[in-house]
Amino acid sequence: EFIVDKKNGFLVYSKNVKELSDKIKKILSNPKLRDRLSENAQNEVLKNWDSKKRVDELYRVYLKTAYKK
């Protein structure tokens, strides 16, 4: 998974509007937290999100799905 709770973002339960709202308010009201989450997210992308690697993964999933009997 890309998002690591409290490291580069926040995970919230689906359909939990209050929790989502609280996390958004927390990020907006805390510049240090916002900067830390942003920096960690950017570092994660630069470190792990190679486009060739992602295309290869998608291709493997396609082949597995297309030829599944």
Side-chain angles (χ1 to χ4, degrees), residues 2-37:
F2 175 73
I3 301 298
V4 177
D5 195 34
K6 299 179 188 104
K7 180 180 179 192
N8 59 9
F10 289 107
L11 298 176
V12 295
Y13 290 102
S14 63
K15 299 181 183 179
N16 189 335
V17 177
K18 173 146 178 37
E19 184 181 15
L20 178 59
S21 174
D22 290 345
K23 297 299 183 185
I24 291 171
K25 288 176 188 176
K26 186 174 188 171
I27 292 169
L28 292 175
S29 67
N30 188 333
K32 286 183 181 182
L33 173 64
R34 184 173 56 242
D35 291 346
R36 182 176 58 81
L37 294 174

Side-chain angles (χ1 to χ4, degrees), residues 34-56:
R34 184 173 56 242
D35 291 346
R36 182 176 58 81
L37 294 174
S38 297
E39 185 176 335
N40 288 342
Q42 184 177 18
N43 289 338
E44 185 72 19
V45 168
L46 293 173
K47 185 173 95 177
N48 295 313
W49 285 75
D50 177 275
S51 61
K52 180 172 177 0
K53 184 177 174 183
R54 297 295 163 219
V55 168
D56 290 344

